[in-house]
Each structure stands twice: as structure tokens, then as C-alpha cells.
């Protein structure tokens, strides 16, 4: 196995593991803040952290499974398992939002004044700082190493940070103004934000499960690599791509002169594979070589052919 790929997998798996104790610790702090104050808004914040704990467990085991090498039954690898983890996390986020709304709705008609607000808010702020640092790490590493589960977890936790900041400011206003009803109102606003985050996580993950093509900038990089490294070929068409976790699958048809030898065509394919893997790390390519005269179909890539008088690539 490629050494760099092995190192990347180890980093992703290690971060996924540490997500479990960190999420448990943050949840403990937030639930302590709720217990100290009795605030419904802080309870809603703590319930979202419960989702984070569940998601961290799921992400760890799914990432371990997704990083298993290809086998007889899964010949293209197990990468899509990460999208399943992200979908489950999105569903859990939505469930948490519904539970928060249910809890806050009752408190809306019987608001109560918080107890020990300063201590509770200080504890909740500490949990928010830990979450902000951890979410930043997850997003950066997940993006760099093409881990949908890690990235989804990071974005969800970052939304939790934004939620906590909003709750913190809102509860200070509730304490200062004496309007206890701000507490359940904040909880409902938190729930709406959580619903939105859950929708984004689910929609992004479903795109991966449905074999969504590479991002536009990635596809542009592939086209550029083909254009500049296809010397000797006549045409490239039927370009298709899809992403499964850390791996990108790219295939296209390469048209060469009918008189070109198999060895020469193979050299062009090797050159193209190296160029594309340079711009899309972890890419898996399938190049179908065909002689000139075949009907062009699918997406075309404009290339500048360099053919000798004999019809053989220079």
C-alpha cells in the first residue's frame, strides 16, 4: 500500500478515535451548565452535544471500516461507508432538534428564572472553546485527507460552537433584562439552526452516495492535466468522474492513430495517469484506448495532438 496513503489513513483514524473522549467531555460540561442553571437553552445545547457523542462513536467505527483495502466482495474499496456515517449524523441532528423544540415549547408558556447564571455560562463557554478548537482541526484534516465523515463531524461541531455563542449572548440578555422567556425562545432558535445544519450534512452525504461528480475546480484540474500531457493522442472524450470518500474515480476514452502500437498508447496512458494523480491525489483511473474513426460521445476534452507524418506519436 502507498506509504502516504497509509499515513493519511492513520491520521484520520486517530482523530476519529480522539473525537469520542473529547465529545463526551464537552457534553459533560454542557449538561453540568444546564444542571447548575436549569436553563432550557443550555439543555438544548447539551442535547446537541449528546448527538456529537453518538456521531463520534459512529464516525470512528465507520472510518475504520471505510479504510479497509479493497477485497473480493468490495473491489472498489469501502470508501462510501463514510457517507453512511455522515447521513446517520445528519439524521441524529434532526432528531435532536425535534426534541429541543418539544422541550422548549412547554417552557415557552411557563418560563423560569435561571439559577447561578454566571457559573453556568462560564462552564458552557469553556465547552464552546474546546469545541471550536476541535472543530477547526477536524475540518482542516478531514478536508485535506478527503474524509467525508470527519469533515461532516467538524462542520456539525462548528455549528454547535455558533449555537453556543448565540445562547451565551442571549442568556446574558435574559439575565440583564429579566425577561425569562428569552430562554425557551433561544432554545427554539437553536433547534432551527440545528435543523438547517442537519439538512446540509444529509444532502452533502447523499450526493456522495449517488456518485456525485468531482467538484468543478477538480474537474478543471483533470481537464488541464489531460490537455497538457496527452501528446500523441488525437482525442479524449466520454470523461466521467465520481468521488467516494478519499478516492476519486475517473475514466475517459483516449483516441489514438490506428497505426500506433499498443506500447506507445500505453506510454500515453501512463503519462496521463501520473499527471492526473498529481492534481487529484488518491485518484483511480480507467482509460479506454480506441483507434481513430470511432464515434465521439460524452464529454470532450480539447487537446493539441502531436502526430508525425507516419501517424505515429512523436
Amino acid at each position: 500500500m502507498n506509504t502516504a496513503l497509509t499515513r493519511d489513513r492513520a491520521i484520520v483514524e486517530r482523530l476519529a478515535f480522539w473525537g469520542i473522549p473529547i465529545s463526551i467531555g464537552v457534553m459533560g460540561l454542557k449538561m453540568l451548565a444546564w444542571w447548575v442553571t436549569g436553563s432550557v437553552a443550555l439543555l438544548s445545547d447539551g442535547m446537541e452535544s449528546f448527538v456529537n457523542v453518538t456521531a463520534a462513536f459512529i464516525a470512528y467505527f465507520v472510518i475504520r471500516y471505510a479504510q479497509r483495502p479493497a477485497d473480493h466482495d468490495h473491489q472498489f474499496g469501502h470508501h462510501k461507508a463514510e457517507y453512511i456515517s455522515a447521513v446517520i449524523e445528519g439524521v441524529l441532528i434532526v432528531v435532536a432538534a425535534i426534541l429541543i423544540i418539544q422541550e422548549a415549547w412547554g417552557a415557552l408558556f411557563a418560563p423560569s428564572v435561571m439559577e447561578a447564571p454566571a457559573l453556568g455560562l462560564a462552564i458552557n463557554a469553556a465547552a464552546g472553546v474546546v469545541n471550536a478548537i476541535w472543530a477547526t482541526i477536524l475540518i482542516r484534516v478531514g478536508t485535506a485527507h478527503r474524509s467525508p465523515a470527519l469533515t461532516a463531524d467538524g462542520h456539525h461541531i462548528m455549528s454547535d460552537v455558533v449555537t453556543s455563542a448565540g445562547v451565551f449572548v442571549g442568556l446574558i440578555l435574559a439575565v440583564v433584562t429579566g425577561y425569562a422567556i428569552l430562554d425557551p425562545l433561544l432554545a427554539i432558535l437553536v433547534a432551527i439552526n440545528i435543523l438547517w445544519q442537519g439538512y446540509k450534512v444529509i444532502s452533502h452525504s447523499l450526493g456522495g452516495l449517488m456518485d456525485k461528480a468531482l467538484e468543478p475546480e477538480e474537474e478543471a484540474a483533470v481537464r488541464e492535466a489531460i490537455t497538457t500531457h496527452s501528446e500523441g493522442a488525437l482525442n479524449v472524450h466520454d470523461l466521467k468522474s465520481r468521488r467516494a470518500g478519499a478516492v476519486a474515480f475517473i475514466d475517459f476514452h483516449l483516441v489514438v492513430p490506428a497505426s500506433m502500437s499498443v506500447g506507445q498508447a500505453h506510454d500515453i496512458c501512463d503519462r496521463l495517469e501520473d499527471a492526473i494523480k498529481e492534481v487529484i491525489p488518491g485518484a483511480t483511473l480507467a482509460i479506454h484506448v480506441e483507434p481513430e474513426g470511432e464515434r465521439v460521445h460524452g464529454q470532450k476534452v480539447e487537446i493539441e495532438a502531436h502526430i508525425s507524418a507516419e501517424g505515429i506519436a512523436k
Side-chain angles (χ1 to χ4, degrees):
M1 182 181 295
N2 184 280
T3 304
L5 185 57
T6 303
R7 184 177 63 251
D8 290 349
R9 290 178 174 178
I11 291 171
V12 170
E13 188 173 323
R14 186 160 58 247
L15 274 183
F17 171 78
W18 280 107
I20 297 174
I22 290 175
S23 61
I24 291 174
V26 169
M27 182 187 70
L29 286 174
K30 290 191 174 186
M31 295 308 288
L32 177 62
W34 163 69
W35 182 76
V36 168
T37 62
S39 165
V40 180
L42 290 181
L43 173 61
S44 68
D45 208 11
M47 288 176 68
E48 186 178 8
S49 290
F50 177 77
V51 174
N52 291 347
V53 172
T54 307
F57 273 100
I58 294 172
Y60 173 64
F61 290 107
V62 169
I63 284 174
R64 288 193 63 182
Y65 178 80
Q67 301 206 52
R68 292 170 58 183
D71 54 32
H72 178 73
D73 294 326
H74 304 86
Q75 298 176 7
F76 290 94
H78 303 77
H79 315 287
K80 282 192 175 182
E82 288 203 40
Y83 290 116
I84 298 174
S85 168
V87 169
I88 293 174
E89 181 170 350
V91 171
L92 289 173
I93 293 171
V94 171
V95 171
I98 294 172
L99 292 175
I100 290 169
I101 291 174
Q102 183 181 17
E103 185 72 24
W105 188 255
L108 196 62
F109 300 99
S112 58
V113 179
M114 288 189 296
E115 301 175 9
L119 177 59
L121 289 174
I123 294 171
N124 196 256
V129 171
V130 173
N131 259 351
I133 295 171
W134 184 239
T136 302
I137 293 172
L138 289 178
I139 292 171
R140 287 181 178 176
V141 176
T143 301
H145 299 284
R146 299 289 182 183
S147 173
L150 217 58
T151 306
D153 204 19
H155 282 297
H156 174 215
I157 293 174
M158 189 59 77
S159 74
D160 191 11
V161 173
V162 175
T163 297
S164 297
V167 168
F168 184 83
V169 173
L171 289 180
I172 288 178
L173 289 175
V175 172
V176 172
T177 62
Y179 289 114
I181 197 172
L182 286 175
D183 184 17
L185 283 175
L186 279 170
I188 292 174
L189 289 175
V190 167
I192 293 172
N193 177 62
I194 293 172
L195 279 173
W196 172 242
Q197 296 302 324
Y199 165 76
K200 289 197 295 185
V201 169
I202 292 172
S203 61
H204 174 76
S205 303
L206 287 178
L209 288 173
M210 295 299 292
D211 288 337
K212 184 180 178 182
L214 297 180
E215 295 298 325
E217 60 272 16
E218 292 179 313
E219 184 169 314
V222 171
R223 287 176 173 272
E224 178 64 24
I226 292 174
T227 299
T228 56
H229 293 84
S230 55
E231 182 176 351
L234 297 175
N235 192 355
V236 169
H237 63 269
D238 201 21
L239 172 64
K240 292 182 288 189
S241 67
R242 65 183 177 91
R243 181 169 285 286
V247 179
F249 292 91
I250 303 165
D251 64 80
F252 54 85
H253 291 203
L254 181 74
V255 181
V256 299
S259 55
M260 180 177 285
S261 70
V262 172
Q264 290 171 314
H266 185 265
D267 289 341
I268 298 175
C269 291
D270 282 346
R271 191 166 65 243
L272 285 170
E273 285 186 10
D274 291 340
I276 292 172
K277 287 180 179 180
E278 184 70 26
V279 295
I280 309 290
T284 296
L285 281 86
I287 304 176
H288 175 72
V289 178
E290 56 188 37
E292 58 185 315
E294 294 290 324
R295 183 176 61 86
V296 175
H297 57 280
Q299 290 194 60
K300 290 185 62 180
V301 179
E302 297 298 330
I303 66 173
E304 183 180 349
H306 301 268
I307 307 300
S308 68
E310 294 77 21
I312 305 297
K314 291 180 180 178

